Amino acid sequence: MSLNWWTLPTQLGVSKVSCRGLACLLIFAVSVCGSAPGMCPAACICASDIVSCTNKNLTRVPANLYKCMKRLDLSYNRIGILEPEWVPMLSEKLNTLIVNHNSINSISPGSFSTIPNLKYLDLSSNRLKTLGSPVFQELKVLEVLLLYNNQITHIESLAFGGLYKLQKLYLSYNLVSQFPLDLYVGKHKLTDLVLLDISFNHIQSMPIQRLSSVPAKQLSGIYLHGNPFYCDCVLYSMLIFWYQRHFSSVVDFKNEYSCLLQSDPRGHNKLPLLHDNLMNCSESTINSSFQAFGFLHDAQVGDRLIVHCDSRIGDAGTQFVWVSPDNRLLEPDRETDNFKVFPNGSLEITDAQLENSGLYSCIAINKKRLLNETIEVRINVSNFTVNRSHAHEAFNTAFTTLAACVASIILVLLYLYLTPCPCQCKAKKKKRKLNQSSAHSSILSSTLPQELPADEKKASTGKRVVFLEPVHEPKQSQNGKVKLFPNDGVITESILKTTRTKSDSDSVNSVFSDTPFMPPA
C-alpha cells in the first residue's frame, strides 16, 4: 500500500505529514473527547459541545456522553433523586446543566462531584422541599442557580455554603417563610451575590435592621414582590428608600407589593404597600429608617462626620465626586474648607457647622463600564447648647407636673386615713344634742319635769313637741319677750295642727304667750 504525502506550510518552512500521522491524530482526539464511536446517545441530540436529552422520559443520565460537552440539557424527564455520581462520568468542561421540569425531591451531598466546574445550574420546576447543608459545596465557580417553582419550605443556614462565586439566585414561587439572611451577613455570606429573587413566597416580615448594613450593590438586587407582608411602617420606609434609589426590584414591580392588616391574616383585603399616603406613617419612623440605611445623618456643631457613598457600581475603576448644598464641587484629594473626599468616595466634614446642613449628592462614574449613579444624602447639623436648653425646660415642666401629682396623692391619702373615727363623731354629736335639749327644756319650763301616768303617756304618743330657742333683741322696749321667727303665728299653727287635749292646749298657749313669763312667788 502506497502512502501519499501532503505538504503543510509552517512558519519555519514546509513539512511533510503522512496519512498514518493524520490517523494517529484522529485517534488521539477521539480518545480525549469521546469514549466510544457512538459518542451521542440515541435518546439525545448532539451538536458540537451541546447535548440535548429533553423530554425523553429518562430516569437517569445516559452513560455514553461527550467528555468535551459544555452544555447538557436534561429537562422534561423523570429524574427523581440526585445522589453521588448521578452523572456517571467526570465532565470537567461541563459549565451549564439544565435539569428543570423533572421529579427531583432530594439532593444528597456530593451529587456534583463529577461536574465541579458548573457555572449555570437550573433545578427549577421540581419537587424540592428542603435544602440541607451543604449540598452545593463542590460547585466552587457556580455563578447562577435556579431553584424557582419548587416546594421549598426550609433553607438551612449552610445550604449555599461554598458558593463564593454565586452571583444570581432564583428562589421565587416557593413556600419559604423566612428571609435567608445568612446569604448577606455572617461568616458564610456570599459577597458576590447581586441578585436574589425570593418573590411570591410566604414571607411576612423582614429583618430590616440587619439588612441596613448590606451594601447597596447587593440590596438593589433583592426582589420581594408578591409576598404576604404585614402592613408595617418600617418595611414601608425601607421600600420607599429603595424606590428613591431607583432600585429596579422596586421600581419595576411597584404594583406587585401589597400588605395585609394584622386583623386580617387571611388576606381578604390586600392593600397596595407603595401607594402614596396609604400607610399614614409618621415622619419620625420614616426618618429613622432613612438614617439606618445611610440616607439621613445627624451631627452637632463641631463634630467630625464621615458619610459613605454607597454606590451600586463601586469597584476599582469608579471615581467619586460630591456636590454640596450650595452647588460646590468636592473632589478627592482636594480639601475645600472643612470638606474632604477620599478615593473610596467617603466624604469627611472635619468641623460641622449649621450652614453645612442640606442635601448632598454623590456621583459615581465608571468610564470602563460606561455607568454612573447619583446618591443623595441629607445631613442635619444642630446646636447642642440650644437643644440642651430646650431639653432642660422640658425637664423642669415635667418635674413640676410630677411633683404636683405626688402632692395631690399624698393629700388624698391623708384625708382618707387620718380623719377622726366616725363613731366618736357620732357620740360627740349625740351628746351635744342632749345638752342642747336639756338647755331648751330648762328655758321653756319653770317646774321640774315629773313622771306622767301611764295612761297619759299612752294618750300623748301621737303628739309633736317643738322647742324653739328664744331670740333676744337688743331693744329695751321688748322687755325680754320671746320672739318667734317671722310669721310665727302661721308656723306655730301649722306645726301644732294635730288634735290635742285641753291640758295640752293650755300648756302650749302658756308657753307661746305674749305676756312676760313670771315665776311664782
Side-chain angles (χ1 to χ4, degrees), residues 37 102 128 139 215 247 287 385 400 402 439 455:
N102 276 265
L128 293 172
L139 304 176
F247 291 174
N287 288 340
T385 57
T400 304
L402 179 61
D455 55 350

Side-chain angles (χ1 to χ4, degrees), residues 155-161 179-191 193 207 210-211:
I155 301 175
E156 295 189 12
S157 59
L158 297 178
F160 304 104
F179 182 81
L181 187 63
D182 296 316
L183 296 173
Y184 296 97
V185 298
K187 60 180 180 179
H188 299 289
K189 62 182 179 181
L190 306 180
T191 56
L193 186 64
R210 301 193 67 183
L211 280 177

Side-chain angles (χ1 to χ4, degrees), residues 233-465:
C233 285
V234 180
L235 176 64
Y236 168 78
S237 303
M238 182 190 74
L239 295 177
I240 287 296
F241 175 71
W242 290 4
Y243 187 82
Q244 292 181 356
R245 288 290 306 270
H246 303 287
F247 291 174
S248 59
S249 58
V250 179
V251 175
D252 296 343
F253 298 94
K254 179 181 178 181
N255 296 328
E256 297 290 341
Y257 284 91
S258 60
C259 64
L260 308 175
L261 297 175
Q262 296 282 354
S263 58
D264 185 22
R266 295 185 178 181
H268 297 295
N269 297 316
K270 290 185 178 181
L271 302 178
L273 185 56
L274 296 179
H275 194 275
D276 294 339
N277 299 325
L278 182 64
M279 292 292 295
N280 194 23
C281 297
S282 64
E283 185 178 356
S284 60
T285 302
I286 297 177
N287 288 340
S288 62
S289 298
F290 283 2
Q291 190 170 8
F293 282 97
F295 175 75
L296 185 64
H297 296 266
D298 294 327
Q300 300 293 335
V301 173
D303 286 353
R304 176 177 176 267
L305 181 65
I306 296 181
V307 181
H308 300 286
C309 184
D310 191 11
S311 174
R312 290 173 287 174
I313 60 174
D315 53 26
T318 304
Q319 298 178 352
F320 299 92
V321 176
W322 284 82
V323 179
S324 64
D326 54 356
N327 294 325
R328 284 188 298 170
L329 191 64
L330 308 176
E331 298 178 321
D333 301 328
R334 181 182 298 177
E335 295 188 13
T336 304
D337 294 339
N338 56 339
F339 297 100
K340 181 180 179 181
V341 179
F342 294 95
N344 64 352
S346 299
L347 173 66
E348 179 187 16
I349 303 178
T350 56
D351 186 14
Q353 300 298 323
L354 293 175
E355 56 269 18
N356 297 144
S357 299
L359 188 64
Y360 290 76
S361 299
C362 174
I363 304 175
I365 304 172
N366 193 307
K367 296 181 179 179
K368 294 182 179 180
R369 300 169 57 187
L370 300 178
L371 296 174
N372 64 79
E373 182 185 13
T374 301
I375 301 99
E376 293 183 343
V377 177
R378 180 170 293 279
I379 297 177
N380 296 327
V381 181
S382 57
N383 195 339
F384 176 73
T385 57
V386 175
N387 295 340
R388 183 173 60 181
S389 63
H390 291 328
H392 183 68
E393 293 176 359
F395 174 77
N396 288 339
T397 303
F399 180 77
T400 304
T401 305
L402 179 61
C405 293
V406 173
S408 302
I409 294 174
I410 293 175
L411 292 176
V412 170
L413 293 177
L414 291 175
Y415 177 78
L416 292 177
Y417 293 100
L418 297 182
T419 52
C421 178
C423 299
Q424 296 179 0
C425 295
K426 289 182 179 180
K428 292 181 178 179
K429 188 174 182 181
K430 184 176 181 181
K431 186 176 180 180
R432 189 181 299 112
K433 287 184 177 180
L434 290 175
N435 294 334
Q436 292 177 357
S437 63
S438 62
H440 293 168
S441 62
S442 63
I443 294 174
L444 298 175
S445 177
S446 61
T447 59
L448 296 174
Q450 297 180 356
E451 191 70 18
L452 295 176
D455 55 350
E456 293 185 9
K457 288 183 179 181
K458 185 176 181 180
S460 62
T461 54
K463 299 179 182 179
R464 300 179 182 178
V465 180

